[in-house]
């Protein structure tokens, strides 16, 4: 036992000795360590496809928003892995909500990460194959009929001044006003403007990345093909952004050259440009070397990184690979990026369940939220708690897919077995918990 010094004279010497002793004891005990704050959760939601109602429902289920659709996720990170658009009825409502949550989450210390999906890029570039008539109607207003008529008049004028070009089209364009109006309903022109480089939604979408890495997990829409494993994530994002910028610049140039009109869709643009090349080669229209070069470069867009089937927005290999071939590929990808997991959407899981693959390293989270289009589909979210606890969240239950020890609670070990980790094993459903932070209370599906 260390005895305190006896205080005699002088008093200051005694006080000094006491201070030295206290300092020594504190140094021996070491500094007091505050308990580490738990890492905030990351919530990922896949393809929404304009299904505003179910999107709101799953956001509330995970505790990210309240009944007024305001951010309540605190410091959590919400990642939406693309394909907000197409097929469903409410594109503007979905995008407006995402835009609002980006601002509100930042004010609360949280974060919303919106990523590009193939359908965002399709809309940016005018590939409108999956845009429903209701989508156009949501952009219409009281002046839409006047804009529609003005656009048709502009189209008629364009046709009259491009007879030589039109003669080279593989398929004729609309000949009657009724046909043109049917393909360009009220709101069509407004939709194209809103998603253009100067439009409110177009500017917002162009600011999104395609790939994000958060705490060792890579998030993207489609997936990273093994051939791209040496391409850095930042380089992928830069390449896609550069392609979109190149598309916008080329389209603006071609509009200024009076070759195309601003509201032409991608199929119309391609057909017209191919006809223009032929017409110039036949000397039916004035030849311009710069225009020819620009057109030829534009027509290569099908090989662009953002459009290729093996690109990060379109790749489906993680769903298609078998376990034996896929596991080594997935591990090599993760090693190359020094990451632990990959989370993707894009490919709808027929079970309507989030599907872990390749030893719980890759999570396929598109469960067909828009059930009117994908029978058996339903909204879902993947919540990552701390370092390595992955929870599948549905409206009626949540299932722990992977715990911190690296095993699936549903089959007792790593790896993939029939039904493992997708909520299809067991005789019942996981316990339904209150719609708050899922990470604070999770359960595995009962065995």
């Amino acid at each position: 036992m260390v005895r305190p010094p006896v205080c005699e004279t002088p008093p200051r010497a005694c006080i000094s000795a006491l201070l030295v002793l206290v300092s020594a004891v504190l140094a021996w005990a070491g500094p007091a360590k505050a308990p580490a704050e738990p890492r905030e959760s990351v919530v990922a939601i896949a393809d929404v496809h304009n299904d505003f109602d179910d999107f709101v429902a799953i956001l509330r289920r995970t505790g990210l928003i309240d009944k007024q659709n305001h951010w309540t996720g605190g410091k959590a990170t919400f990642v939406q892995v693309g394909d907000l658009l197409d097929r469903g009825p409410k594109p503007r409502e979905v995008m407006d909500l995402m835009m609002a949550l980006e601002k509100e989450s930042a004010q609360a210390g949280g974060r919303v990460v919106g990523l590009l999906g193939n359908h965002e890029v399709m809309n940016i570039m005018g590939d409108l194959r999956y845009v429903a008539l209701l989508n156009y109607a949501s952009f219409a207003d009281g002046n839409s009929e006047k804009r529609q008529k003005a656009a048709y008049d502009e189209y008629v004028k364009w046709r009259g001044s491009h007879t030589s070009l039109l003669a080279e089209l593989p398929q004729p364009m609309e000949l009657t006003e009724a046909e043109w109006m049917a393909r360009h309903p009220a709101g069509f022109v407004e939709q194209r403007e809103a998603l253009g480089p100067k439009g409110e939604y177009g500017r917002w979408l162009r600011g999104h990345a395609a790939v994000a890495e958060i705490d060792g997990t890579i998030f993207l829409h489609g997936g990273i093909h093994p051939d791209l494993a040496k391409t850095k994530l930042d380089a992928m994002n830069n390449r896609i952004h550069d392609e979109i910028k190149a598309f916008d610049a080329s389209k603006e140039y071609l509009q200024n050259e009076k070759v195309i009109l601003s509201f032409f869709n991608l199929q119309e643009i391609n057909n017209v440009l191919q006809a223009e090349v032929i017409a110039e080669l036949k000397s039916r229209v004035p030849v311009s070397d710069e225009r020819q070069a620009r057109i030829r470069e534009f027509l290569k867009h099908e090989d662009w990184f953002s459009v290729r089937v093996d690109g990060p927005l379109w790749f489906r290999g993680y769903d298609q690979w078998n376990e034996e071939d896929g596991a080594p590929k997935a591990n090599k990808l993760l090693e190359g990026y020094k990451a632990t997991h990959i989370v993707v959407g894009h490919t709808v899981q027929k079970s309507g369940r989030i599907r872990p693959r390749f030893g719980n390293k890759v999570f396929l989270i598109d469960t067909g939220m828009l059930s009117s289009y994908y029978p058996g589909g339903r909204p879902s979210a993947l919540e990552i708690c701390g370092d390595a606890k992955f929870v599948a969240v549905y409206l009626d239950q949540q299932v722990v897919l992977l715990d911190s020890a690296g095993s699936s609670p549903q089959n007792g070990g790593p790896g993939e077995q029939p039904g493992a980790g997708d909520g299809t094993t067991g005789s019942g459903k996981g316990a339904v918990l209150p719609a708050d932070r899922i990470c604070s209370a999770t359960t595995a599906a009962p065995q």
Side-chain angles (χ1 to χ4, degrees):
M1 178 180 293
V2 179
R3 292 180 179 275
V6 178
C7 288
E8 295 178 350
T9 58
R12 289 185 178 178
C14 183
I15 294 172
S16 298
L18 284 169
L19 291 174
V20 171
L21 179 62
V22 171
S23 298
V25 172
L26 290 175
W28 174 78
K33 294 183 178 179
E37 292 186 7
R39 181 179 295 175
E40 293 293 335
S41 65
V42 178
V43 179
I45 295 177
D47 307 42
V48 176
H49 287 302
N50 297 334
D51 187 354
F52 177 76
D53 296 337
D54 281 327
F55 186 37
V56 165
I58 195 64
L59 286 171
R60 290 178 183 172
R61 181 69 183 89
T62 57
L64 290 178
I65 65 173
D66 60 19
K67 292 182 178 180
Q68 288 72 43
N69 297 340
H70 293 300
W71 179 260
T72 53
K75 296 181 180 180
T77 296
F78 165 43
V79 184
Q80 201 287 314
V81 299
D83 276 14
L84 288 171
L85 301 178
D86 287 346
R87 295 192 170 109
K90 298 180 179 179
R92 297 188 69 177
E93 290 88 340
V94 167
M95 290 189 287
D96 287 342
L97 177 59
M98 281 290 293
M99 294 167 76
L101 294 180
E102 284 181 359
K103 297 176 182 177
E104 293 180 7
S105 63
Q107 293 171 353
R111 182 169 50 146
V112 170
V113 180
L115 299 177
L116 290 172
N118 60 307
H119 282 266
E120 277 73 46
V121 173
M122 289 170 72
N123 275 267
I124 285 172
M125 295 185 176
D127 186 344
L128 309 178
R129 287 173 290 168
Y130 301 100
V131 181
L133 291 179
L134 282 174
N135 297 166
Y136 297 127
S138 68
F139 288 87
D141 58 29
N143 293 318
S144 289
E145 288 189 11
K146 292 181 179 178
R147 294 193 194 97
Q148 185 187 30
K149 184 63 168 61
Y152 175 73
D153 292 342
E154 185 180 3
Y155 168 73
V156 171
K157 184 178 179 181
W158 176 88
R159 283 184 58 87
S161 60
H162 290 76
T163 53
S164 297
L165 182 154
L166 292 169
E168 304 299 338
L169 285 175
Q171 295 179 340
M173 298 178 75
E174 298 86 354
L175 299 178
T176 68
E177 182 173 358
E179 289 174 329
W180 192 94
M181 291 292 182
R183 298 191 185 188
H184 303 79
F188 180 95
V189 173
E190 291 87 340
Q191 193 261 11
R192 301 314 307 136
E193 291 177 351
L195 290 167
K198 298 179 182 179
E200 177 185 11
Y201 300 115
R203 290 195 309 271
W204 176 68
L205 288 175
R206 284 165 174 79
H208 287 176
V211 190
E213 187 273 330
I214 301 171
D215 295 335
T217 298
I218 296 173
F219 298 85
L220 73 160
H221 184 65
I224 302 174
H225 191 283
D227 291 347
L228 301 176
K230 294 182 179 179
T231 304
K232 294 182 178 179
L233 302 184
D234 285 344
M236 291 186 191
N237 285 326
N238 292 336
R239 187 168 173 183
I240 288 175
H241 282 152
D242 288 345
E243 289 177 353
I244 292 174
K245 289 178 182 177
F247 175 89
D248 290 337
S250 294
K251 186 178 177 183
E252 183 178 14
Y253 168 83
L254 293 168
Q255 288 172 210
N256 293 337
E257 288 288 296
K258 311 298 182 184
V259 180
I260 62 172
L261 296 177
S262 62
F263 48 79
F264 278 5
N265 63 36
L266 186 60
Q267 182 181 6
E268 290 171 334
I269 294 174
N270 285 336
N271 290 340
V272 167
L273 295 186
Q274 290 169 357
E276 174 74 8
V277 170
I278 296 172
E280 287 197 19
L281 290 175
K282 292 181 177 180
S283 299
R284 292 186 174 181
V285 298
V287 177
S288 166
D289 291 339
E290 180 183 1
R291 187 167 64 239
Q292 279 277 321
R294 291 261 198 159
I295 290 174
R296 291 181 185 279
E297 188 63 31
F298 184 94
L299 290 173
K300 295 179 182 178
H301 67 80
E302 291 183 358
D303 296 325
W304 286 359
F305 197 57
S306 55
V307 178
R308 283 167 25 192
V309 293
D310 62 346
L313 304 182
W314 290 83
F315 183 59
R316 299 186 188 272
Y318 305 157
D319 178 74
Q320 298 168 347
W321 294 343
N322 61 44
E323 179 67 17
E324 182 179 1
D325 295 335
K329 295 177 182 178
N331 288 332
K332 187 175 181 180
L333 278 170
L334 290 168
E335 290 171 5
Y337 289 106
K338 295 181 173 58
T340 56
H341 300 89
I342 299 175
V343 176
V344 298
H346 187 46
T347 304
V348 177
Q349 300 306 298
K350 295 178 181 179
S351 66
R353 301 270 181 166
I354 290 175
R355 181 186 180 199
R357 298 213 66 194
F358 316 122
N360 302 309
K361 299 292 182 63
V362 176
F363 291 85
L364 310 181
I365 68 169
D366 182 2
T367 56
M369 181 181 299
L370 184 64
S371 58
S372 61
Y373 190 91
Y374 301 107
R378 59 172 172 171
S380 66
L382 178 71
E383 184 154 4
I384 305 173
C385 310
D387 291 328
K389 191 170 188 177
F390 289 70
V391 184
V393 183
Y394 310 102
L395 295 182
D396 61 345
Q397 68 175 130
Q398 58 266 357
V399 179
V400 178
L401 303 177
L402 175 65
D403 65 16
S404 57
S407 62
S408 168
Q410 292 177 314
N411 60 19
E416 182 184 5
Q417 298 176 13
D422 64 1
T424 60
T425 60
S427 58
K429 294 182 178 180
V432 178
L433 299 179
D436 55 10
R437 307 303 311 131
I438 299 299
C439 283
S440 62
T442 54
T443 61
Q447 299 300 303

